[in-house]
Amino acid sequence: MPATLPTPIEFRLPEGWLPARSEESDAACVAFAAVHPQPDAGFAANITIDGEAVQDPVTLTDLADESAERLREVAESVVVAHRREVGTADAPALTQRLTFSAVVNGTHRDLVQSQVYLSLPDVGESHKHAVIRLTLTASASQHDDVLGDFQGFVRTVRPDAPAGA
């Protein structure tokens, strides 16, 4: 069963990308996954969405550090190649790019993961917020080709307004 996001969001997939079947993704950890229709040497670039509710003083940097550490548990040569805080004081965000090597379906691959962390305030409790993580994972050779699709996808993500609001 897929994970549940701490707050509802809406988004639009890039043209041609397909929702992943649950057996293609680690459905227990993500709320949504999509795959690129043209795999690179057998590895399909993918976009995943997950999230969690956090309380102050947890920062986006803390969460990005935790993500890199979790990846180090299952991959080799994990490097934080880039990290930048973006957004505004009211809507902070963080981007990071990780490079790593991993065995996927029996084949050793050099991969790149671009992550975007979006912080959404809890209107009921100011010391709480939801963090949504958007992730693109692609082969090192295909990453730059699909990065524009991912950036376009990120621009479509927004809180889902309740009906009648």
Side-chain angles (χ1 to χ4, degrees):
M1 178 170 189
T4 304
L5 292 175
T7 188
I9 62 169
E10 60 181 51
F11 57 87
R12 194 172 63 251
L13 279 178
E15 187 173 329
W17 287 71
L18 306 167
R21 296 187 310 262
S22 60
E23 64 270 12
E24 293 175 334
S25 66
D26 189 355
C29 297
V30 301
F32 181 81
V35 294
H36 191 269
Q38 297 171 334
D40 177 38
F43 183 83
N46 60 81
I47 293 172
T48 59
I49 303 172
D50 66 270
E52 62 186 291
V54 297
Q55 293 189 25
D56 293 337
V58 174
T59 67
L60 296 178
T61 299
D62 294 335
L63 296 173
D65 286 342
E66 289 173 15
S67 180
E69 284 306 312
R70 279 192 309 274
L71 189 56
R72 285 184 179 101
E73 294 172 5
V74 297
E76 306 166 5
S77 308
V78 177
V79 174
V80 178
H82 175 79
R83 183 181 286 170
R84 185 173 66 148
E85 292 186 29
V86 296
T88 65
D90 292 335
L94 180 140
T95 64
Q96 94 173 347
R97 182 172 298 166
L98 305 170
T99 61
F100 60 100
S101 296
V103 175
V104 181
N105 297 326
T107 302
H108 188 268
R109 301 190 183 275
D110 291 326
L111 302 171
V112 178
Q113 196 170 82
S114 290
Q115 301 175 337
V116 176
Y117 293 81
L118 305 174
S119 180
L120 305 170
D122 183 321
V123 284
E125 299 183 55
S126 62
H127 67 284
K128 290 183 178 180
H129 53 279
V131 174
I132 305 299
R133 181 175 61 166
L134 313 169
T135 304
L136 167 68
T137 305
S139 65
S141 61
Q142 189 179 33
H143 182 267
D144 290 348
D145 293 337
V146 296
L147 182 58
D149 285 353
F150 180 65
Q151 291 167 333
F153 162 75
V154 169
R155 285 190 288 274
T156 72
V157 176
R158 57 190 34 87
D160 188 13

